Amino acid sequence: MQEYIDFFQQNMILSLVWVGLVIAVIMNIVKTKTAQYKEIMPAQLTQMINREEGTVIDIRSKDEFKKGHITDAVHILPADIKSGSFGSLESKKADPIVVVCKTGQTAITAANDLAKAGFEQVFVLKNGLISWNEANMPLVRGKK
């Protein structure tokens, strides 16, 4: 045991970095397990759309949406979700809802807002449309 104490005393910066990394990993695991949404990959999204009648919500800007979106995606801005303006989604609170943005980061906030609003099955496309494009999945171009 004395060797460990000596090591930590002689390598204080390395020891603090190691403790910080351990804490960060533990916090990430806890956050993932307690999140109100689940992250899914593009293949899982296609299965959800085809088998479970999942709804894709695209939260990017109107121009980005027109440049290319997932087939049958519903365009809703994050501000509308935050204010509780869900439109036609109100009737789909029990159905799977997948929130999509460009990178997957903005979708997390929107997914949390949907879960707080009572949506039971909320998902986020991991890495957003970047992962969708990397998987060579199709996009619909033009106005919905």
Side-chain angles (χ1 to χ4, degrees):
M1 184 68 171
Q2 184 61 35
E3 302 103 25
Y4 295 122
I5 294 171
D6 290 340
F7 177 81
F8 287 125
Q9 288 175 344
Q10 293 172 1
N11 300 292
M12 187 63 79
I13 294 174
L14 179 64
S15 301
L16 290 174
V17 169
W18 183 83
V19 168
L21 286 173
V22 168
I23 291 171
V25 167
I26 291 170
M27 288 176 56
N28 191 26
I29 291 170
V30 168
K31 183 180 175 188
T32 302
K33 297 293 182 189
T34 60
Q36 297 178 334
Y37 64 88
K38 301 265 188 262
E39 286 188 327
I40 60 173
M41 299 304 290
Q44 293 169 299
L45 174 55
T46 56
Q47 288 179 349
M48 193 173 291
I49 292 169
N50 293 332
R51 295 185 183 156
E52 301 176 37
E53 297 182 21
T55 303
V56 177
I57 299 175
D58 194 322
I59 62 168
R60 297 173 302 146
S61 71
K62 193 172 189 176
D63 290 337
E64 289 176 318
F65 184 78
K66 285 181 183 178
K67 289 180 184 175
H69 57 272
I70 297 172
T71 305
D72 295 330
V74 178
H75 182 247
I76 299 177
L77 295 173
D80 293 337
I81 293 173
K82 192 109 181 130
S83 68
S85 302
F86 305 119
S88 63
L89 293 178
E90 281 293 334
S91 63
K92 299 184 179 193
K93 284 198 172 188
D95 296 340
I97 302 288
V98 183
V99 184
V100 176
C101 67
K102 186 175 181 178
T103 63
Q105 296 303 311
T106 311
I108 291 170
T109 305
N112 283 326
D113 291 341
L114 287 169
K116 287 176 188 171
F119 288 86
E120 298 171 14
Q121 299 180 60
V122 181
F123 301 89
V124 171
L125 180 61
K126 187 172 184 171
N127 298 323
L129 282 181
I130 291 173
S131 67
W132 185 262
N133 288 329
E134 287 174 353
N136 293 320
M137 300 296 219
L139 291 176
V140 176
R141 307 224 189 275
K143 194 171 188 178
K144 173 125 168 74

